């Protein structure tokens, strides 16, 4: 009976902990409690940026309104990502599929990766939209962009968006956060289908002020991996954990 009871109360406790963290995120972002700890209202105010609610859920301000949003990325692949926009009271709205927000058409696959790629305190997004080819030759992406935050709620657009070459090298099937440079700048791992049965792990390193860079042969040789559809390359599954702490 005691074991069953502990399981029943675990979920409510976790929900309360996350709510307190969100309150702290807001207090810190607004500068209401610069010393950290708890403010006079009893809200936790130690969180100063994005944090992990769990291994596949990032809490952080994506649209720049000062309220943390919830970004869920099942399987870390970037193909089933959803966003719940945050409100002033710390709650989250309904789930929005990133593919729908990006305007993916029927038959297209939308893939996304979210992180503070420039380490400037703002969450960014890399997006790729492609219609997979039927034959051996890979399709070129219709949209392949690095979008520095903040992003618009309606379509995830960015005033500073720029083209990314990830859509020029093949069909990006997955976009994952990685830590190859062992620095504060999240990197990008792409499960890339260049055609002819090949399936590779391509890499884009991020740098200060620029976000993910373009293809580099030396970087690919050092961090990438070549595989096939029968034997796909290993992909990182804990990229967020290298850059963000658990919400607590």
């Amino acid at each position: 009976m005691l074991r069953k009871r502990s399981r029943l109360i675990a979920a409510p406790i976790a929900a309360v902990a996350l709510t307190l963290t969100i309150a702290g995120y807001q207090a810190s972002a607004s500068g209401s409690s610069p010393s950290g700890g708890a403010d006079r209202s009893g809200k936790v105010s130690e969180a100063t940026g994005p944090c992990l609610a769990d291994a596949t859920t990032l809490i952080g301000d994506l649209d720049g309104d000062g309220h943390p949003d919830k970004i869920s990325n099942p399987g870390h692949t970037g193909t089933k990502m959803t966003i719940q926009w945050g409100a002033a009271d710390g709650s989250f709205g309904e789930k929005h599929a990133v593919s729908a927000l990006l305007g993916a058409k029927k038959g297209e696959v939308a893939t996304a990766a979210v992180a503070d790629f420039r380490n400037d305190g703002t969450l960014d997004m890399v997006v790729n939209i492609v219609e997979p080819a039927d034959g051996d030759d890979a399709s070129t992406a219709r949209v392949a962009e690095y979008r520095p935050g903040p992003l618009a709620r309606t379509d995830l657009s960015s005033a500073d968006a720029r083209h990314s070459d990830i859509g020029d090298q093949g069909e990006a099937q997955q976009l994952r956060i990685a830590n190859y440079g062992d620095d504060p700048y999240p990197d990008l791992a792409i499960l890339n289908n260049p055609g002819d049965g090949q399936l590779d792990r391509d890499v884009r390193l991020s740098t200060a002020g620029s976000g993910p860079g373009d293809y580099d042969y030396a970087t690919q040789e050092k961090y990438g991996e070549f595989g096939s559809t029968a034997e796909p390359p290993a992909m990182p599954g804990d990229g967020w954990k290298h850059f963000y702490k658990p919400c607590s």
Side-chain angles (χ1 to χ4, degrees):
M1 290 298 293
L2 290 176
R3 185 176 300 174
K4 181 177 181 181
R5 178 187 175 92
S6 65
R7 284 200 294 260
L8 289 174
I9 65 176
I13 289 176
V16 170
L18 179 56
T19 301
L20 289 174
T21 299
I22 294 167
Y25 184 112
Q26 294 169 321
S28 178
S30 65
S32 61
S33 181
S35 61
D39 61 20
R40 292 182 180 180
S41 67
K43 294 181 179 180
V44 179
S45 56
E46 294 180 351
T48 58
C51 63
L52 291 175
D54 56 50
T56 59
T57 306
L58 182 66
I59 305 296
D61 186 7
L62 192 59
D63 61 351
D65 66 354
H67 309 310
D69 309 303
K70 180 184 286 187
I71 302 102
S72 299
N73 186 21
H76 299 282
T77 64
T79 58
K80 298 179 180 180
M81 184 178 291
T82 62
I83 297 173
Q84 293 173 259
W85 301 113
D89 63 359
S91 63
F92 300 108
E94 63 179 307
K95 283 188 177 182
H96 298 275
V98 166
S99 59
L101 292 174
L102 291 174
K105 301 175 182 179
K106 184 178 180 180
E108 291 182 330
V109 176
T111 316
V114 172
D116 183 0
F117 290 102
R118 299 182 296 181
N119 193 34
D120 61 356
T122 305
L123 287 178
D124 315 311
M125 180 178 284
V126 176
V127 303
N128 189 88
I129 303 177
V130 65
E131 182 175 359
D134 293 332
D136 292 334
D137 295 330
S139 297
T140 300
R142 178 172 66 84
V143 177
E145 292 182 337
Y146 165 56
R147 300 183 178 184
L151 306 183
R153 285 193 175 197
T154 53
D155 58 4
L156 301 177
S157 60
S158 166
D160 300 313
R162 62 172 169 80
H163 176 75
S164 171
D165 72 348
I166 61 173
D168 304 336
Q169 307 293 325
E171 296 174 9
Q173 295 186 353
Q174 297 181 12
L175 296 178
R176 296 186 181 226
I177 303 302
N179 180 29
Y180 294 121
D182 196 24
D183 55 34
Y185 308 102
D187 303 309
L188 193 65
I190 307 105
L191 183 62
N192 183 51
N193 171 23
D196 297 325
Q198 194 170 337
L199 201 59
D200 306 330
R201 183 182 71 236
D202 286 358
V203 173
R204 302 292 187 277
L205 299 188
S206 297
T207 56
S210 67
D214 291 333
Y215 176 88
D216 177 77
Y217 180 78
T219 298
Q220 182 65 23
E221 285 289 302
K222 185 175 182 179
Y223 300 112
E225 182 180 344
F226 300 101
S228 65
T229 53
E231 297 182 2
M235 297 294 290
D238 60 351
W240 273 343
K241 288 185 177 180
H242 291 283
F243 304 97
Y244 308 112
K245 297 180 179 179
C247 299
S248 58

